[in-house]
Amino acid sequence: SCLCGSAPCLLCGCCPSAKNSTISRLLFTFFLFLGTLVSIIMIIPGVEKDLYKLPGFCEGSGSVLGVQTNVDCSSFLGHKAVYRMGFAMAAFFCLFAALMVCVRSSRDPRAALQNGFWFFKFLVLVGITVGAFYIPDGAFTSVWFYFGVVGSFLFILIQLVLLIDFAHSWSQRWLHNADEGNAKGWYAALCTITFIFYAASIAAITLLYVYYTKPEGCTEGKAFISINLILCLIISVVSILPKIQEAQPHSGLLQASLITLYTIYVTWSALANVPTQRCNPTLLLRNSTGPATATEPLTTWWDAPSIVGLVIFFLCTLFISLRSSDHPQVNKLMLTEESGAGPGPGGAEEGGVHRAYDNEQDGVSYNYSFFHLCLLLAALYIMMTLTNWYRPDESLQVLRSPWTAVWVKICSSWAGLLLYFWTLVAPLVLPNRDFS
């Protein structure tokens, strides 16, 4: 029953009362994290060398976009392994996104597939993963790179929605606590956190100018840093304008400082992908292309931008699995539950024993297909993060960082700033709508 039954059977008696919907999301997220762990292990240089032992994984020649080439995949074995693991996870979640279209309640027979049969779902994931490693060389790596770019961009936008919602909720709760009592303490905490965020942002911008620009040249890096600095100043000023404060009393510098810090991080991540060695001091560390270092591992991912991106990925994915927003507009966008439902018949406790309960008999608490789509995009994002958004060059001998990765990240930072700016001015532009 625990292997093949519904999700509540997994945690009965060993966890506090929990919703069926929450447990299912956590277990699917666990599958994603498990795949991420396998990807990390495969890209470790010591393990990467042993991937030769996989039958058919690195042999023969292939056709890349119609051009016949001799594939020497020894230079990016770990890169190939992460791409195939990412493909397997994306295919797994795409399958469930298609199967769960228009499921309205747990009474739908397909809901049993969502909330149960975990052992068999694990076997399906393992089977897809094994099959992915038999995908022949050729156009797969080149084409799948662009799928990863598009999926990662969309997942970054989801991250931005969650971050903006989190910033607004954080400020509202602290201001509400200040109104109820100990106002000086809460306002002091607000000011301290805001100061820390802005101080970290200023320090980061200074370091970006020092390490990623030169007095002569590096025009793109200077432009990206300067533009984002100006845009961050604009949203900070707009957030405290009297008309904005009148329309949104909870708006303030705390949200702006958090968005500013995240924007600077995305800018840093983009500059770390600039393919010009002179303007990117980390390029040689991650992509040893010189003849003297040709034997060094080429797919090392554990630089600072990738580690920070990995942490943000974990937090956002858990957020998607556990949360429901304080704002109905975000719940409608993310298709999550707006309020916790109490235990129905056969509730949370039976005979004093904590049990999980089905809270979706009248209606699902989240859109099954959209949830799997979010995990699919997350799988593509972590695939690109672990490979540093690198791809093999035309000869398939060396991994290179393309300008595509730089522009995708910079455009996502601009999209986030624009989205936050809209949350500030929307009540003024659309006065007849309720933004409470």
Side-chain angles (χ1 to χ4, degrees), residues 139-171:
F140 173 77
T141 303
S142 301
V143 173
W144 192 242
F145 170 82
Y146 292 102
F147 278 91
V149 167
V150 175
S152 299
F153 178 77
L154 295 176
F155 185 73
I156 291 174
L157 293 183
I158 293 176
Q159 285 184 346
L160 291 166
V161 171
L162 297 177
L163 182 69
I164 293 171
D165 175 52
F166 173 74
H168 281 298
S169 300
W170 186 0
S171 179

Side-chain angles (χ1 to χ4, degrees), residues 185-360:
W186 286 107
Y187 282 121
L190 271 172
C191 293
T192 301
I193 295 298
T194 302
F195 173 79
I196 292 174
F197 285 164
Y198 273 123
S201 300
I202 294 172
I205 290 172
T206 304
L207 292 174
L208 291 181
Y209 274 117
V210 170
Y211 289 102
Y212 291 90
T213 64
K214 300 293 181 182
E216 297 180 0
C218 302
T219 307
E220 296 87 355
K222 294 175 183 176
F224 292 151
I225 300 171
S226 301
I227 291 173
N228 280 357
L229 174 59
I230 293 172
L231 293 177
C232 289
L233 288 174
I234 291 174
I235 64 167
S236 297
V237 172
V238 170
S239 66
I240 57 175
L241 291 176
K243 288 188 177 180
I244 299 295
Q245 290 288 312
E246 182 181 351
Q248 296 207 63
H250 294 104
S251 173
L253 290 177
L254 176 63
Q255 300 98 307
S257 64
L258 182 57
I259 300 301
T260 297
L261 185 60
Y262 183 79
T263 300
I264 300 306
Y265 156 70
V266 176
T267 307
W268 173 36
S269 180
L271 294 177
N273 275 107
V274 171
T276 306
Q277 177 183 334
R278 183 168 176 268
C279 304
N280 183 2
T282 64
L283 190 63
L284 276 179
L285 297 177
R286 302 187 302 171
N287 189 22
S288 302
T289 57
T293 57
T295 59
E296 296 295 322
L298 301 182
T299 51
T300 303
W301 64 270
W302 44 79
D303 59 343
S306 297
I307 292 174
V308 175
L310 188 62
V311 172
I312 294 175
F313 155 77
F314 279 115
L315 294 177
C316 287
T317 309
L318 284 176
F319 219 39
I320 292 171
S321 301
L322 294 173
R323 72 187 299 281
S324 61
S325 173
D326 295 333
H327 301 95
Q329 292 89 349
V330 177
N331 285 319
K332 290 178 181 178
L333 176 63
M334 302 302 295
L335 302 175
T336 54
E337 55 194 342
E338 295 190 15
S339 61
E349 295 191 9
E350 297 178 5
V353 178
H354 290 289
R355 295 190 179 278
Y357 59 91
D358 183 2
N359 63 315
E360 299 184 302

Side-chain angles (χ1 to χ4, degrees), residues 177-189:
N177 292 338
D179 292 337
E180 290 189 343
N182 194 15
K184 290 184 179 180
W186 286 107
Y187 282 121

